[in-house]
Amino acid sequence: MHVRAMAVWTPRFPSLEAWRTRTASEPAAPAASILGARARGRASMLTRMISEVATCAAEASSVELARVPVIVGSAYGEMETTAQLLSMMNESDGALSPARFQSSVHNAAAGLLSITTGNQGFSSCLAAGDATTAALLFEAEAWLAEHGGDVLVIMADERLPAFFSRNEAFEPAAVALVLSASASGALATIDASRRSDAAVRAHSAELGESPVAPMLDLIDAVHGRHDMVLVPAYGPALALALRYEAA
Amino acid sequence: MAPRAQEPLSIASYSLSCALGMTRDAVAKRLFEGESGLVPPPFTLPFTTLCGTLPEALPPLPATLARFEARQARLAYATLAPLLPALQERVARYGRERVAVVLGSSNAGLDTTERSFGAYAKHGHAPDVAALRDQHAYSAVLALIEALTGIAGPMLFVSTACSSSGKAFASAARLLRSGLADAALVGGVDALCEMTVRGFRSLGVLAEGACRPFCRERSGINIGEGAALFVLERDGDSELQLLGYGEGADAHHMTAPHPQGEGAERVMRDALARAGLEPSQIDLVNAHGTATDQGDSSEALAIARVLGSAPVVSTKGYTGHALGAAGAIEAALCLLTLEHGVAPASLGSAPVDAALPIRVLEASARGAYRRVLSNSFAFGGSNVSLVLGRRT
């Protein structure tokens, strides 16, 4: 499969170009303008980041958000919302906010995007810890093998709430790729069927131990036009060779 | 554009644990005798409801895997045990990297997190990072399965709320057909959590008593739990098969279905097209049927348009709604119908709502069931429909 477009958002590198040139700015919030003011005000950081990179990748590739198949990955999902619900459960009567509850599911952002854009087609939401990037590439390759066309792949994780982050902290980050069955106009080619035992390159250090780091490595590899090997750091021992052939 | 018909995939083996029992035989006995598994919740709540809790204690994890301790992990471990020989055979035949794991879950290890958060709220002691990775995260069960089976192919959780494990079948089918894997462990796992019971209460859709799918007097859902796991392969010759699937979105509302069930209709039609079947060839419909007013009404309209008067059953009155595991558990219940030649009564449905244009099975029925269609619909408007079959 072929990479047609890419998008990056982190609080200090809020665009693909800022990431490529490592031009850090003061931490900002994702615009997520597609959601509209009301939905954006209620949306979590994770949902806003996902909406932002989805919009940027769609613009960069001319795919229509109302029609493109969407695969969203997140190692941990809507953690801030989950922590809010856990707090509510431990308050006086333990009653939950229905708005928070419906926004706590792993597919909250994908559902909101589908409703916002009117996309009635395929979407899926995946989780596989630090192997989530690999899972997304497998799912995308399998989807494209059957259907052809394009698929919008998004990987994002927000900052862990205090309860979860005692020994682990990472910056929020989101990456989107438009992957295509067609090589026409592609930035790079990914072969998700090859395995490799080669040593893994160190992750970019800007974000701490973010589960999104392997996806950012992929962005760097495309920009640098070099091959890479993706070896998830923990959990499922899955070595995935990714080849970048100058397109 | 409707998908093209595809070759069936082989279901070599399966196992399940749900409110009706911890084995296929135990579940089949109570299912076909019309016995509900709904009981009072195992935790204290400031309101009344019933839950589809497992009827027996789950065995502990082996000592070497104790770091994964969570009800979610125990459920996966107990349900995986009967499939280990079939999985080991596939690992030997195809190679470790040629076997995939594709599971669905909505809650992951939230039950354990709820308990530790309660302690944190009282005493300020947060769990360490190991708890996040090995107990809370979706991937904890993947790491557990890797340790138990040696599988090293693509491993992932699909998490789209209540359609999760239905969609796991679709995702695994694509991995097999594209040649990225030769066999897959597929299914769903969701342990009962207090948060989801309270959450559905906050939405005003939780039943106080036993749920009554498609009933004139329906008043909401019961939350359940359980797991169902399947060994799916491309080149097998098993009696039981995955014939088709359809996936799509309502694009309508986060928690309410499209009133006329248009999204539900699309995924059922896609599932039939992939299976290469006419609507008249479906012998039984396992409805999502959670017993909410809107949900049952929109699904009934969709079923009537696609499948006319095919008999319809909801099994939520036996098991409750097992959320991310519901699609897999109900796929297993459909396989029991195909194997035993009995469709269960749609428990709690009588008196059926006369406004619903479908034929609900009020009593169990014997028959030569060959093909069953099963629906799962979720928050965010995520829909999936499966067609399961038995060879002639």
Side-chain angles (χ1 to χ4, degrees), chain B residues 14 16 23-33 239-240 284 331-344 364-372 389-391:
Chain B
Y14 70 103
L16 84 161
T23 65
R24 278 160 54 170
D25 288 346
V27 171
K29 183 166 187 301
R30 291 178 72 189
L31 179 68
F32 298 131
E33 285 176 0
E239 176 92 354
L240 300 171
L284 181 71
L333 300 182
C334 291
L335 297 186
L336 290 176
T337 283
L338 295 172
E339 288 186 300
H340 290 254
V342 187
S364 69
R366 293 204 158 271
Y369 296 98
R370 298 256 320 275
R371 303 174 198 96
V372 183
R390 178 172 59 82
R391 281 172 194 268

Side-chain angles (χ1 to χ4, degrees), chain B residues 5-243:
Chain B
Q6 295 175 327
E7 287 297 307
L9 294 169
S10 189
I11 300 172
S13 187
Y14 70 103
S15 69
L16 84 161
S17 316
C18 66
L20 289 178
M22 315 293 277
T23 65
R24 278 160 54 170
D25 288 346
V27 171
K29 183 166 187 301
R30 291 178 72 189
L31 179 68
F32 298 131
E33 285 176 0
E35 191 183 327
S36 176
L38 298 170
V39 295
F43 31 69
T44 308
L45 294 167
F47 50 82
T48 307
T49 190
L50 297 178
C51 291
T53 315
L54 295 181
E56 295 172 32
L58 286 161
L61 302 177
T64 52
L65 299 172
R67 67 185 183 281
F68 296 114
E69 174 56 31
R71 188 166 178 79
Q72 177 80 348
R74 287 190 179 208
L75 239 178
Y77 175 63
T79 312
L80 183 67
L83 298 186
L84 283 173
L87 282 171
Q88 278 151 6
E89 192 195 310
R90 267 71 192 178
V91 166
R93 189 189 308 170
Y94 302 119
R96 300 175 63 205
E97 295 194 341
R98 300 296 304 169
V99 182
V101 178
V102 187
L103 303 177
S105 174
S106 191
N107 297 336
L110 187 57
D111 67 299
T112 301
T113 307
E114 285 176 351
R115 283 194 297 280
S116 51
F117 195 94
Y120 169 70
K122 279 197 187 75
H123 313 296
H125 301 302
D128 66 19
V129 62
L132 172 69
R133 289 176 171 243
D134 292 342
Q135 297 177 300
H136 175 85
Y138 294 93
S139 50
V141 165
L142 299 180
L144 175 73
I145 289 173
E146 181 203 16
L148 289 166
T149 64
I151 290 173
M155 297 178 104
L156 56 98
F157 262 95
V158 176
S159 187
T160 52
C162 304
S163 61
S164 300
S165 58
K167 287 171 72 72
F169 279 92
S171 186
R174 280 190 292 272
L175 285 175
L176 296 177
R177 291 212 173 89
S178 66
L180 287 166
D182 297 316
L185 175 66
V186 185
V189 191
D190 250 334
L192 188 71
C193 294
E194 206 175 316
M195 184 187 290
T196 44
V197 179
R198 288 176 181 269
F200 280 96
R201 169 80 177 185
S202 79
L203 289 167
V205 295
L206 196 71
E208 290 188 359
C211 67
R212 311 278 301 274
F214 302 116
C215 177
R216 196 170 64 204
E217 292 149 25
R218 67 187 180 275
S219 65
I221 79 175
N222 302 119
I223 306 299
E225 66 175 347
L229 299 172
F230 307 74
V231 178
L232 195 64
E233 62 191 339
R234 192 179 49 241
D235 303 319
D237 56 359
S238 298
E239 176 92 354
L240 300 171
Q241 298 175 317
L242 174 66
L243 301 179

Side-chain angles (χ1 to χ4, degrees), chain B residues 313-369:
Chain B
V313 60
S314 164
T315 53
K316 299 292 196 291
Y318 298 88
T319 63
H321 183 1
L323 306 175
I329 289 172
E330 290 169 33
L333 300 182
C334 291
L335 297 186
L336 290 176
T337 283
L338 295 172
E339 288 186 300
H340 290 254
V342 187
S346 190
L347 195 61
S349 295
V352 171
D353 184 349
L356 304 178
I358 53 170
R359 182 155 72 88
V360 177
L361 271 187
E362 292 182 61
S364 69
R366 293 204 158 271
Y369 296 98

Side-chain angles (χ1 to χ4, degrees), chain A residues 112-210:
Chain A
L112 190 57
L113 267 182
S114 153
I115 293 163
T116 303
T117 62
N119 191 332
Q120 297 178 333
F122 170 81
S123 74
S124 195
C125 299
L126 311 182
D130 286 348
T132 307
T133 293
L136 286 167
L137 296 176
F138 278 127
E139 176 84 31
E141 175 121 330
W143 172 271
L144 291 171
E146 180 170 334
H147 298 269
D150 300 311
V151 59
L152 174 60
V153 170
I154 301 165
M155 172 72 201
D157 269 286
E158 61 186 12
R159 186 178 285 118
L160 294 173
F163 167 68
F164 292 103
S165 62
R166 197 155 66 96
N167 290 319
E168 176 161 12
F170 50 78
E171 291 295 303
V175 171
L177 303 173
V178 175
L179 299 173
S180 176
S182 156
S184 169
L187 303 168
T189 298
I190 300 178
D191 182 349
S193 67
R194 290 188 219 176
R195 307 293 199 275
S196 173
D197 295 322
V200 68
R201 208 168 63 85
H203 288 316
S204 41
E206 282 84 353
L207 301 170
E209 292 296 308
S210 167

